[in-house]
Amino acid sequence: MRRPAPCRRQAVVLAAMLLGLGAGAGGASGQRSASAPPPGTPPVASVSLPAGHWAWDALRRLSALGLAPEWPDRAQGFVLRSEVARVLARAAALAQEQRPELAPLARGFQRRFQAEFGTAGSDPTALPAPAGWRDLLPRRLAVGYAERRGLVRTGVGYDPDTDWVAGKPVPDTSTAFLSARWESVPDRHLALMVEPTLRSDAVELAAGEVVALLGPFGVWAGRHSARFGPGVGGGIVLSEQNTFNGVGTFLPEAIRFPWIFRGMGPIRMELFFSRAHGGDWFPDPWFGAFRGTMTPHPRLTVGLNRGTMFGGRGNVPITFRSLFRTALGLRADPVGFFDNEMVSVDVQYRPPLGALPLAVYGELGEDDASGAWHHEPGYTAGAELVA
């Protein structure tokens, strides 16, 4: 696929100070654990859980142990923080009832999550409280020093002998920083978060997100990090940790199709659009990504991933027709330059091995070139045995 790989920012933080100034009631580590909400409780808006957060590993571990049957997906897409809290609360309750030896582990994950985020957005049973003076204080404050060295942007192009552009080094940086995060949940259907960061050489918006729940759908706008696929290191379409400035939609809760399609089990889907920067033939294209999963059996989940680069400066104009044909997988122009995409299918399975917490997974992907499934596939496979 012809697109520039985004530069992954890495930093070594030499000194940091984290203060939960605006955590409010329940922000202390000694707080009580939130009770699991009854089934059918409507979701409460919150900001999303970023890719790479420790809670993703906790969810994967609880799922392999059979304590999170409603969380079979190992990908790190757009998920509300309040939904993660709901799963952790139910896992703690399930462990207490069926696996008492695992109850301390499940409660520990739940309490750590609630201690980090406070009640707002981490207690699935709590409704938004009236605004007060505490909302004016940052929920998190970080001070430190960061270095970034040895990064390289990957090359772009198709043919190494004709149009390949070699990778370029990213300038090393070292800077002191000060960041503060403000969060607000003014209504059970709306959540906001902003995190400006002051560096010694610039001011930037490190994170920011607006999330709204509109009936069975959710929408977001801002900066979001995601990685698709069941592998520990990510997937074929979206691997590692990628941060996007864009807009998207998602299903806050899994849905079920009626009639004969009910056998597909719980369905989850998400879609977002962003703008890429740089490139070779058509700079600054648009980028869209989709992930959908179905769980026909509590132990089996099948996912579909699709990522598409389209448009860009000097390319075929973006029209309703071109977008519609691209969505159907058809050529939007005679030559096929309008879009370039990748698609993959993944499978996740938890074998019925009693108390043995084993999970196996695999993913098969391809570029949009004809015959790539057979001649130039990309695939990952693995097994994970959690402690």
Side-chain angles (χ1 to χ4, degrees), residues 183-209:
E183 297 182 10
S184 178
V185 185
D187 182 81
R188 69 174 301 137
H189 303 289
L190 181 66
L192 308 96
M193 181 270 291
V194 63
E195 184 176 344
T197 298
L198 173 64
R199 302 186 183 277
S200 56
D201 56 350
V203 178
E204 65 179 14
L205 184 63
E209 198 171 80

Side-chain angles (χ1 to χ4, degrees), residues 60-68 99 102 105 350 355-357 386-387:
R60 191 169 65 245
R61 189 175 179 185
L62 292 172
S63 177
L65 291 168
L67 297 178
R99 302 285 298 276
L102 298 176
L105 174 68
R350 185 166 56 90
L356 186 65
V386 303

Side-chain angles (χ1 to χ4, degrees), residues 1-6 153-160 162-168 277-281:
M1 181 175 178
R2 184 181 67 254
R3 63 180 176 91
R153 293 185 184 275
T154 58
V156 294
Y158 271 131
D159 189 343
T162 58
D163 66 348
W164 179 258
V165 179
K168 298 180 180 180
H277 298 286
D280 50 355
W281 288 6

Side-chain angles (χ1 to χ4, degrees), residues 228-313:
F228 293 170
V232 175
I236 293 175
V237 174
L238 280 183
S239 187
E240 301 184 359
Q241 296 180 28
N242 302 274
T243 301
F244 301 92
N245 299 322
V247 297
T249 183
F250 64 100
L251 295 177
E253 294 184 297
I255 63 173
R256 287 180 178 267
F257 292 144
W259 199 42
I260 60 175
F261 303 105
R262 192 169 182 82
M264 298 172 65
I267 304 293
R268 292 182 180 272
M269 291 183 286
E270 65 173 285
L271 170 71
F272 71 86
F273 293 95
S274 180
R275 190 75 183 266
H277 298 286
D280 50 355
W281 288 6
F282 305 111
D284 304 333
W286 290 91
F287 176 72
F290 168 85
R291 176 169 174 81
T293 63
M294 65 177 184
T295 306
H297 187 276
R299 296 180 178 273
L300 174 66
T301 296
V302 181
L304 172 66
N305 310 284
R306 184 180 180 186
T308 305
M309 286 278 186
F310 60 95
R313 290 188 285 114

Side-chain angles (χ1 to χ4, degrees), residues 8 51-53 56-57 60-61 71-77 226-242 291 293 301-303 305 344-349 359-365 378-386:
R8 181 182 180 182
H53 191 273
W56 289 109
D57 292 331
R60 191 169 65 245
R61 189 175 179 185
W71 197 271
D73 192 7
R74 299 165 55 90
Q76 299 185 14
R227 61 186 189 187
F228 293 170
V232 175
I236 293 175
V237 174
L238 280 183
S239 187
E240 301 184 359
Q241 296 180 28
N242 302 274
R291 176 169 174 81
T293 63
T301 296
V302 181
N305 310 284
S344 72
V345 176
D346 61 71
V347 177
Q348 309 166 57
Y349 182 64
V360 296
Y361 59 87
E363 182 178 11
L364 173 65
Y379 53 86
T380 61
E384 184 177 23
L385 182 64
V386 303

